[in-house]
């Protein structure tokens, strides 16, 4: 069996086109331009690249973006003041604080300060708490897990009643992905580095979300035949055939897994493009909540 490849690039492009059309309509109707504020602390190259991509996406979709880049040694108080200023600004609809923050900063406190209507990453404790509770709706869902679920739904994978296994329990991906799947009536198992006999647990998965950041970790014979495999990993591995000397691979051994799975996302071109597309969707929603 060869899996159906879920084309995240194409699905992300559809989301972006929808968002761009709605942004254009809002602007034509005289409403303020939906605008995202990004906050980057320090000099991590990966974080700077992600933030630059988010700003580029805003420009491409007709949205505004305002960038704040603070030194790695910025004090907690100064960062909190910036968040409060952005909360109060009528021009800013969404606030994105790129994670991880340097260790001396209190991340939980910073995330809890972001006003709920502007929490386009969905990381505020109140949004996450609502995601975890029955009958409560978060205003925003974290972008990467939101993208994973969107891909499953677009591919026509049945979530309700399925056994979903989430590999990884991070605040950014694994844990919110598990909560979203529970909300969609899947039966969910969360695995991590200390899970016993991981292959046996993963073999039970109708849906596998792999988010542990280990290159080619999940092997083909761990996959249940016909399963839907969503690979969140983006890992760089040496590759002498490439000009750059490396290439990107996921957490799942794609070549092996595609022979067994029913659906699979590639890396690159799977979940990656969805994160930014969902951030744009959330920022548009933030503008709708604030300006009508
Ligand atoms: N760091 C890695 N992924 C993310 C994300 O989706 N949002 C933010 N703010 N930081 C991240």
């Amino acid at each position: 069996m060869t899996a159906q490849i879920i084309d995240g690039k194409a699905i992300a492009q559809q989301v972006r086109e929808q968002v761009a059309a709605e942004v254009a309509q809002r602007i034509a109707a005289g409403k303020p331009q939906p605008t995202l504020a990004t906050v980057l602390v320090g000099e991590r190259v990966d974080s700077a690249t992600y933030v630059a991509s988010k700003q580029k996406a805003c420009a491409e979709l007709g949205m505004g973006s305002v960038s704040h880049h603070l030194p790695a040694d910025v004090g907690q108080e100064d960062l909190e003041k910036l968040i409060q200023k952005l909360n109060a600004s009528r021009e800013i609809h969404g606030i994105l604080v790129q994670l991880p923050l340097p260790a001396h900063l209190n991340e939980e406190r910073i995330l809890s300060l972001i006003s709920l209507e502007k929490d386009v990453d969905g990381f505020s404790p109140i949004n996450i708490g609502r995601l975890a509770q029955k009958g409560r709706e978060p205003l925003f869902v974290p972008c990467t897990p939101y993208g994973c679920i969107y891909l499953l739904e677009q591919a026509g994978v049945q979530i309700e009643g399925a056994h979903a296994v989430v590999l990884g329990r991070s605040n950014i991906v694994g844990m919110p992905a598990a909560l979203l799947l529970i909300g969609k009536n899947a039966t969910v198992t969360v695995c991590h580095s200390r899970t016993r006999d991981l292959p046996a647990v993963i073999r039970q998965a109708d849906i596998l979300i792999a988010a542990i950041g280990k290159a080619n970790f999940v092997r083909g014979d761990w996959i249940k035949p016909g399963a839907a495999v969503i690979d969140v990993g983006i890992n760089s591995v040496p590759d002498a055939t490439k000009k750059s000397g490396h290439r990107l691979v996921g957490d799942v051994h794609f070549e092996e897994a595609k022979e067994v799975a029913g659906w699979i996302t590639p890396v690159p071109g799977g979940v990656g493009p969805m994160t930014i597309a969902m951030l744009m969707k959330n920022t548009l929603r933030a503008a709708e909540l604030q300006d009508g």
Side-chain angles (χ1 to χ4, degrees), residues 54 96-99 121 123 144 172 275:
K54 291 167 186 178
L96 179 134
V97 177
Q98 187 65 28
L99 302 177
D121 249 336
F123 290 155
T144 303
I172 292 178
T275 298

Side-chain angles (χ1 to χ4, degrees), residues 201-265:
V201 180
I202 290 176
R203 268 184 211 113
Q204 294 171 27
D206 303 309
I207 295 171
L208 172 65
I209 310 244
I212 43 157
K214 290 188 182 171
N216 294 326
F217 180 74
V218 176
R219 307 306 300 242
D221 64 353
W222 301 13
I223 308 282
K224 180 176 178 177
V229 176
I230 304 291
D231 191 348
V232 183
I234 302 179
N235 311 290
S236 178
V237 294
D239 184 343
T241 69
K242 300 278 177 204
K243 215 168 122 191
S244 62
H246 62 87
R247 76 191 150 95
L248 295 180
V249 299
D251 290 348
V252 177
H253 195 299
F254 182 83
E255 291 305 322
E256 291 178 4
K258 82 175 195 325
E259 299 304 324
V260 189
W263 297 263
I264 190 165
T265 60

